Amino acid sequence: MVHVLFVCLGNICRSPMAEAMFRDLVKREGLDRKISIDSAGTGDWHVGHPPHLGTRQLLDQRGISYEGMQARQLSVDDFENFDYIIGMDASNINNIQSIEPKQSKARVIRLLDLASDQLVKDVPDPYYTGNFDEVAELVASGCQALLELIKMEHSL
């Protein structure tokens, strides 16, 4: 089983959107028994809360489930439990790396570094911009590229 964790600042906008969209993509590819997916935030402000209304509305429009999702904070244990920890922007990557243990099993990657079709490399935070549609397009592109990487690296 390949374990993937998406990480943003508060775990209510970008990372739960990526978790839900990637889970949907993985399921459509028939790989849901081979890839597990979760999300977390580097901060603790929203722990226990559902995804942001804007994220929920966008996922509803696309028919993508976010059932049972609740914000949680990234922990040191995640570096042992996940193969890929995927940050949404450079700041998230810095925050992730600041708690990463020296013996980390996880590979830390900024999502859009995988998407060669994207000129921007940071997924903007719609909590501040309100542009959930733009974020969804970027996340979809990054998720597709991530899935291709995982399929190649794990012969799926």
Side-chain angles (χ1 to χ4, degrees), residues 13-14 33 38 42 49-50 56 74 78 95 107 116 127 134-135 142 154:
C13 294
R14 296 171 291 173
R33 293 183 184 263
D38 196 4
T42 58
H49 295 180
R56 294 192 318 259
L74 179 69
D78 290 326
N95 290 337
R107 192 162 154 206
S116 59
Y127 186 85
E134 173 194 15
V135 169
H154 297 272

Side-chain angles (χ1 to χ4, degrees), residues 105-118:
K105 159 188 160 179
R107 192 162 154 206
V108 177
I109 304 169
R110 182 171 53 170
L111 180 64
L112 292 181
D113 284 344
L114 300 172
S116 59
D117 64 329
Q118 295 300 324

Side-chain angles (χ1 to χ4, degrees), residues 56-117:
R56 294 192 318 259
Q57 288 174 335
L58 182 132
L59 294 171
D60 285 341
Q61 289 168 0
R62 293 175 178 227
I64 298 173
S65 175
Y66 50 86
E67 184 180 343
M69 293 173 70
Q70 288 187 337
R72 72 175 186 86
Q73 188 173 16
L74 179 69
S75 75
V76 172
D77 291 343
D78 290 326
F79 293 91
E80 182 60 33
N81 297 329
F82 289 90
D83 301 296
Y84 300 88
I85 297 180
I86 309 298
M88 297 294 118
D89 63 29
S91 177
N92 299 150
I93 295 295
N94 288 337
N95 290 337
I96 292 164
Q97 291 172 334
S98 74
I99 68 162
E100 182 177 14
K102 290 194 187 314
Q103 307 304 328
S104 174
K105 159 188 160 179
R107 192 162 154 206
V108 177
I109 304 169
R110 182 171 53 170
L111 180 64
L112 292 181
D113 284 344
L114 300 172
S116 59
D117 64 329

